[in-house]
C-alpha cells in the first residue's frame, strides 16, 4: 500500500503507475458530477460543443455537496461521496471523451468502467462514505459553478482542493477491481461462516 | 433547614408549574428536542466512538484501517466544529417515554415537530422529507407522520426523549424474513448473515445490526430498530440472547466485507438482539441496519423543569 500525492493536471503516465490498494491524496482542481452532469457532458461531446471547463488531467467527484452562499461567495459545508454505480453507464465514455484521470466516489464501479479505465487511463478512488466534514475541510475554495440549472447537487462544482483524501485506489489501469476482489473473498467465506454457526 | 433562597426557588418553580406551567414545560420539551437533534448529528454516543477506536486499533487490513482513521478524524472534526458528521442527517425519529403523571403530554408531538423545523435551520440538518406522490421535499424535515414518534407510557412524572435521526443508506439494507418455525434459531442466524452479505459495503460499514425476533412482521421490525438504541457495550441482560449476539457479531466479522466494503475484519461494531413471543406458526426475523454514524441522543425532563442528558455530556 503505497501513498501518492498527486497534483492536477495528472498525466496518464502517472495514473498508470498506481495499483489497487494504493492511497492517493489530490491537490489542485476537482469537479463534481453526478448522473445529470455526466449525461449532459456526453451530449455536448457528441454535438462537439466545448464543456465550460477542460477536464483533461482533473479529478471528477461523484458528489452532491451542500453549498452555502455568503456575500457572493460559495462555501462547501458538507461534501461526502455519493454511490458511484449510478454513473457506470456513462463513465467509460466520459473518461474517453474528457481524459479525466481520477474518478472519486463510494461503493465502487462495475466491469464496464474497469475496462474503460484500463483502456483510456484513469483510476477510481474510493472516499470514506459519510465523511463529509473531512471532505469539506480539504476543499479550500469554490472556483466556480457551471450548469447550476441542474440543481445544487447535480451542478458542476469546480473545487480547489488540498490533499483531498485518503482515496483508496479501488480500480486501477491494469484491470484490477478491489470491490470485486473483496466480493469474491466474501463469497468464499460464506460456507465457513455457515459451518461455524451450524446452519 | 431551608433558607430564604431555597424557598424563593421553590416558590418560583411552583409559579412555573402551576401558574404558567402548560407553556413552560412545552417550551422545555421543544428546546430539549432541538438540543438532542444537535447532539445526535454532531457527536457520536461514547459507546459507538469507543467501538470505532477499538476497531481502528485492532483492524488488520491496511485499507480497512485507513477508512476507520478517516471516520475517526471526521468524527473529531464534526465534534469540534459542531457540524453534522455526515451529510445525510436522516429521517427524524423520536422515542418518547411519557410519565403518566407528567405535564403537557398532549403538547409533546407539537413540540417535537417545532423542534424538528428549528433544528433543520439551526444545526443545520439536510431536508430529507419527500412527499410520496408530489415528490416534493418539504424543506423542513416534517411531513405526513414525520418526524415519527414512538410512544411508551411509563409510571412517574418524567418525560424521556430520544432523538434517532436515521440515515437512508443503512435503512435500505433492512430486511424482514418470515422464516419457517422449524428452522428456528438456525434459520435466524442464516437470515442475519445473508442480510449482511447482501448489504456488503452499501450501508457504510462498520455497521451495527439490530435484530428483532417474534411478535409479528411489524413488531419484529419495531423491536429490531429499538434494539439500536441500546449501547453496543451492553449485551442483552438475558445470557442466552447475549450469547447469540456474540455469536452473530463474530460470524459477521468473518465475512471480510470490512470498513466501507473495502475488505477487513470489522464489518460490524455490534449486534443487538431483542425478541417477543411468537405465534406457533410464524417466526418473523427483522434486521435493522445502522451505519458507522450511529446517531442517537436521550434526555429526561423532570416535572420541576430540570433536564438530565443521558447519552451526551452537555457543554
Amino acid at each position: 500500500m503505497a501513498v501518492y500525492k498527486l497534483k492536477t493536471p495528472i498525466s496518464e503516465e502517472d495514473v498508470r503507475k498506481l495499483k489497487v490498494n494504493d492511497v492517493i491524496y489530490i491537490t489542485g482542481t476537482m469537479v463534481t458530477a453526478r448522473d445529470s452532469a455526466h449525461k449532459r457532458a456526453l451530449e455536448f461531446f457528441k454535438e462537439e460543443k466545448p464543456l465550460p471547463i477542460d477536464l483533461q488531467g482533473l479529478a471528477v467527484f461523484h458528489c452532491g455537496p451542500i453549498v452555502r452562499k455568503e456575500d457572493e461567495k460559495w462555501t462547501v459545508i458538507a461534501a461526502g461521496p455519493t454511490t458511484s454505480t449510478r454513473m457506470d453507464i456513462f463513465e467509460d465514455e466520459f473518461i474517453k471523451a474528457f481524459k479525466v484521470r481520477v474518478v472519486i466516489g463510494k461503493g465502487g464501479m462495475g466491469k464496464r468502467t474497469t475496462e474503460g479505465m484500463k483502456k483510456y487511463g484513469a483510476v477510481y478512488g474510493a472516499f470514506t462514505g459519510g465523511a463529509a466534514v473531512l471532505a469539506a475541510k480539504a476543499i479550500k475554495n469554490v472556483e466556480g459553478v457551471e450548469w447550476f440549472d441542474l440543481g445544487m447537487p447535480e451542478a458542476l462544482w469546480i473545487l480547489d482542493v488540498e490533499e483531498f483524501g485518503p482515496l483508496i485506489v479501488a480500480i486501477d489501469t491494469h484491470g484490477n477491481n478491489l470491490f470485486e476482489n473483496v466480493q469474491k473473498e466474501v463469497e468464499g467465506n460464506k460456507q465457513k461462516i455457515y459451518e461455524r454457526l451450524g446452519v | 433547614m431551608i433558607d430564604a433562597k431555597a424557598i424563593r426557588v421553590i416558590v418560583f418553580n411552583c409559579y412555573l408549574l402551576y401558574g404558567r406551567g402548560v407553556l413552560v414545560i412545552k417550551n422545555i420539551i421543544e428546546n430539549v428536542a432541538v438540543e438532542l437533534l444537535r447532539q445526535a448529528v454532531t457527536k457520536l454516543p461514547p459507546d459507538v466512538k469507543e467501538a470505532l477506536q477499538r476497531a481502528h486499533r485492532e483492524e488488520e487490513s491496511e485499507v480497512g484501517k485507513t477508512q476507520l482513521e478517516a471516520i475517526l478524524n471526521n468524527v473529531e472534526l464534526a465534534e469540534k466544529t459542531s457540524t453534522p458528521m455526515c451529510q445525510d442527517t436522516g429521517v427524524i425519529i423520536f422515542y418518547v417515554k411519557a410519565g403518566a403523571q407528567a405535564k403537557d403530554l398532549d403538547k409533546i408531538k407539537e413540540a417535537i415537530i417545532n423542534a424538528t423545523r428549528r433544528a433543520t435551520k439551526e444545526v443545520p440538518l439536510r431536508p430529507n422529507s419527500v412527499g410520496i406522490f408530489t415528490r416534493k421535499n418539504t424543506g423542513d424535515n416534517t411531513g405526513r407522520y414525520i418526524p415519527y414518534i414512538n410512544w411508551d407510557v411509563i409510571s412517574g412524572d418524567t418525560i424521556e426523549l430520544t432523538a434517532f435521526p436515521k440515515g437512508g443508506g443503512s435503512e435500505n439494507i433492512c430486511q424482514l424474513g418470515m422464516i419457517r418455525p422449524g428452522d428456528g434459531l438456525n434459520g435466524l442466524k442464516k437470515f442475519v448473515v445473508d442480510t449482511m452479505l447482501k448489504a456488503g459495503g452499501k450501508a457504510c460499514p462498520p455497521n451495527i445490526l439490530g435484530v428483532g425476533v417474534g411478535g409479528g412482521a411489524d413488531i419484529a421490525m419495531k423491536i429490531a430498530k429499538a434494539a439500536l438504541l441500546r449501547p453496543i457495550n451492553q449485551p442483552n441482560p438475558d445470557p442466552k440472547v447475549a450469547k447469540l449476539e456474540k455469536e452473530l457479531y463474530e460470524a459477521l466479522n468473518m465475512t471480510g466485507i470490512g470498513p466501507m466494503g473495502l475488505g477487513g475484519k470489522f464489518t460490524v461494531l455490534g449486534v443487538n438482539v431483542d425478541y417477543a413471543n411468537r405465534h406457533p406458526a410464524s417466526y418473523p426475523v427483522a434486521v435493522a441496519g445502522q451505519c458507522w454514524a450511529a446517531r442517537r441522543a436521550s434526555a429526561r425532563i423532570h416535572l420541576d423543569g430540570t433536564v438530565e442528558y443521558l447519552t451526551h455530556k452537555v457543554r
Side-chain angles (χ1 to χ4, degrees), chain B residues 75-181:
Chain B
V75 166
E76 287 296 325
L77 273 173
E79 238 178 74
K80 243 195 329 212
T81 56
S82 200
T83 315
M85 65 186 84
C86 173
Q87 71 277 8
D88 178 6
T89 48
V91 149
I92 306 304
I93 298 170
F94 272 85
Y95 286 82
V96 178
K97 287 184 190 168
Q101 274 77 47
K103 292 257 164 204
D104 270 7
L105 296 184
D106 59 332
K107 307 286 192 307
I108 295 177
K109 187 175 172 188
E110 192 191 331
I112 285 177
I113 293 172
N114 285 344
T116 301
R117 290 200 173 109
R118 271 179 53 199
T120 301
K121 276 195 203 142
E122 292 171 22
V123 175
L125 307 176
R126 190 172 80 180
N128 277 341
S129 167
V130 177
I132 294 294
F133 300 103
T134 59
R135 298 179 109 194
K136 259 200 195 126
N137 193 320
T138 59
D140 64 3
N141 277 309
T142 71
R144 186 168 161 84
Y145 293 131
I146 299 293
Y148 191 81
I149 303 172
N150 295 279
W151 293 95
D152 200 0
V153 177
I154 56 170
S155 51
D157 55 15
T158 60
I159 297 169
E160 202 179 305
L161 298 181
T162 297
F164 184 69
K166 184 66 172 63
S170 63
E171 194 63 14
N172 289 343
I173 68 152
C174 295
Q175 294 273 349
L176 173 72
M178 306 302 285
I179 66 172
R180 285 183 304 200

Side-chain angles (χ1 to χ4, degrees), chain A residues 9 29 31 50-59 97-100 156 158:
Chain A
T29 308
V31 179
L51 294 190
I53 173 171
D54 181 5
L55 295 175
Q56 183 161 353
L58 304 187
F98 307 114
K99 300 181 175 60
V100 294
L156 289 179
I158 304 162

Side-chain angles (χ1 to χ4, degrees), chain A residues 69-105:
Chain A
K69 196 175 197 177
E70 277 168 332
D71 304 325
E72 294 305 299
K73 193 158 170 40
W74 291 103
T75 314
V76 175
I77 307 294
T82 193
T83 303
S84 296
T85 44
R86 294 201 313 273
M87 272 59 79
D88 254 332
I89 49 173
F90 307 115
E91 212 68 83
D92 55 344
E93 287 295 311
F94 194 87
I95 297 165
K96 184 183 175 191
F98 307 114
K99 300 181 175 60
V100 294
R101 296 296 170 216
V102 182
V103 177
I104 301 163

Side-chain angles (χ1 to χ4, degrees), chain B residues 57-311:
Chain B
R57 280 195 307 274
E58 293 177 12
E59 178 57 65
E60 286 157 10
S61 143
E62 274 186 287
V63 172
K65 229 180 164 76
T66 62
Q67 299 307 294
L68 290 160
E69 195 176 317
I71 290 169
L72 286 170
N73 286 341
N74 184 72
V75 166
E76 287 296 325
L77 273 173
E79 238 178 74
K80 243 195 329 212
T81 56
S82 200
T83 315
M85 65 186 84
C86 173
Q87 71 277 8
D88 178 6
T89 48
V91 149
I92 306 304
I93 298 170
F94 272 85
Y95 286 82
V96 178
K97 287 184 190 168
Q101 274 77 47
K103 292 257 164 204
D104 270 7
L105 296 184
D106 59 332
K107 307 286 192 307
I108 295 177
K109 187 175 172 188
E110 192 191 331
I112 285 177
I113 293 172
N114 285 344
T116 301
R117 290 200 173 109
R118 271 179 53 199
T120 301
K121 276 195 203 142
E122 292 171 22
V123 175
L125 307 176
R126 190 172 80 180
N128 277 341
S129 167
V130 177
I132 294 294
F133 300 103
T134 59
R135 298 179 109 194
K136 259 200 195 126
N137 193 320
T138 59
D140 64 3
N141 277 309
T142 71
R144 186 168 161 84
Y145 293 131
I146 299 293
Y148 191 81
I149 303 172
N150 295 279
W151 293 95
D152 200 0
V153 177
I154 56 170
S155 51
D157 55 15
T158 60
I159 297 169
E160 202 179 305
L161 298 181
T162 297
F164 184 69
K166 184 66 172 63
S170 63
E171 194 63 14
N172 289 343
I173 68 152
C174 295
Q175 294 273 349
L176 173 72
M178 306 302 285
I179 66 172
R180 285 183 304 200
D183 290 334
L185 269 186
N186 277 351
L188 174 150
K189 290 175 193 170
K190 186 167 184 297
F191 185 75
V192 174
V193 170
D194 289 347
T195 299
M196 190 71 237
L197 291 176
K198 195 175 160 204
K202 282 201 284 260
C204 289
N207 297 134
I208 299 169
L209 296 189
V211 179
V213 201
D218 59 331
I219 301 166
M221 189 54 89
K222 244 186 149 66
I223 292 174
K225 274 215 166 153
L228 293 171
L229 301 176
R230 169 155 49 94
I232 46 180
N233 54 12
Q234 283 174 23
N236 190 301
D238 180 337
K240 280 195 295 293
V241 185
K243 189 175 157 248
L244 175 65
E245 286 177 342
K246 190 162 177 265
E247 204 181 350
L248 288 170
Y249 170 82
E250 284 167 1
L252 296 172
N253 280 343
M254 282 170 66
T255 57
I257 294 166
M260 288 300 146
L262 288 162
K265 195 169 140 187
F266 284 91
T267 303
V268 291
L269 295 173
V271 180
N272 287 356
V273 180
D274 200 359
Y275 65 95
N277 279 19
R278 62 177 177 85
H279 184 283
S282 46
Y283 203 116
V285 181
V287 179
Q290 179 65 295
C291 55
W292 63 257
R295 291 154 287 188
R296 56 177 150 81
S298 307
R300 187 177 295 129
I301 302 166
H302 292 265
L303 197 56
D304 65 0
T306 53
V307 181
E308 271 176 275
Y309 285 96
L310 304 173
T311 46

Side-chain angles (χ1 to χ4, degrees), chain A residues 100-152:
Chain A
V100 294
R101 296 296 170 216
V102 182
V103 177
I104 301 163
K106 74 163 176 171
M109 299 186 80
K111 275 211 161 56
R112 189 167 145 186
T113 305
T114 309
E115 280 305 305
M117 288 186 162
K118 187 177 172 183
K119 214 158 154 188
Y120 311 118
V123 294
Y124 177 82
F127 187 74
T128 312
V133 197
L134 195 64
K137 194 189 164 211
I139 298 169
K140 296 300 165 193
N141 189 29
V142 177
E143 299 272 312
V145 56
E146 301 287 347
W147 297 353
F148 198 69
D149 61 296
L150 295 176
M152 185 191 281

Side-chain angles (χ1 to χ4, degrees), chain A:
Chain A
M1 196 176 77
V3 179
Y4 294 93
K5 299 197 169 174
L6 302 176
K7 276 204 171 104
T8 63
I10 302 163
S11 69
E12 185 177 344
E13 196 192 339
D14 277 345
V15 287
R16 288 207 179 269
K17 284 181 199 154
L18 301 170
K19 286 192 198 74
V20 149
N21 279 334
D22 284 343
V23 178
I24 54 177
Y25 291 86
I26 291 177
T27 297
T29 308
M30 197 165 83
V31 179
T32 66
R34 304 191 359 154
D35 317 48
S36 311
H38 274 79
K39 197 166 174 219
R40 186 181 286 183
L42 289 175
E43 281 162 12
F44 269 46
F45 184 73
K46 222 164 135 190
E47 293 159 18
E48 294 179 9
K49 282 200 283 191
L51 294 190
I53 173 171
D54 181 5
L55 295 175
Q56 183 161 353
L58 304 187
V60 62
F61 184 20
H62 297 156
C63 164
I66 303 176
V67 193
R68 191 187 277 160
K69 196 175 197 177
E70 277 168 332
D71 304 325
E72 294 305 299
K73 193 158 170 40
W74 291 103
T75 314
V76 175
I77 307 294
T82 193
T83 303
S84 296
T85 44
R86 294 201 313 273
M87 272 59 79
D88 254 332
I89 49 173
F90 307 115
E91 212 68 83
D92 55 344
E93 287 295 311
F94 194 87
I95 297 165
K96 184 183 175 191
F98 307 114
K99 300 181 175 60
V100 294
R101 296 296 170 216
V102 182
V103 177
I104 301 163
K106 74 163 176 171
M109 299 186 80
K111 275 211 161 56
R112 189 167 145 186
T113 305
T114 309
E115 280 305 305
M117 288 186 162
K118 187 177 172 183
K119 214 158 154 188
Y120 311 118
V123 294
Y124 177 82
F127 187 74
T128 312
V133 197
L134 195 64
K137 194 189 164 211
I139 298 169
K140 296 300 165 193
N141 189 29
V142 177
E143 299 272 312
V145 56
E146 301 287 347
W147 297 353
F148 198 69
D149 61 296
L150 295 176
M152 185 191 281
E154 299 282 344
L156 289 179
W157 291 95
I158 304 162
L159 308 172
D160 175 14
V161 297
E162 197 178 312
E163 300 212 347
F164 187 93
L167 305 168
I168 305 295
V169 176
I171 302 173
D172 63 20
T173 55
H174 315 288
N176 300 308
N177 186 324
L178 179 58
F179 283 93
E180 270 175 21
N181 297 350
V182 171
Q183 195 48 45
K184 269 184 220 144
E185 212 186 300
V186 170
E187 268 306 308
N189 290 335
K190 192 164 138 179
Q191 221 43 51
K192 220 167 52 191
I193 296 169
Y194 287 167
E195 271 163 36
R196 185 190 160 110
L197 292 172
V199 303

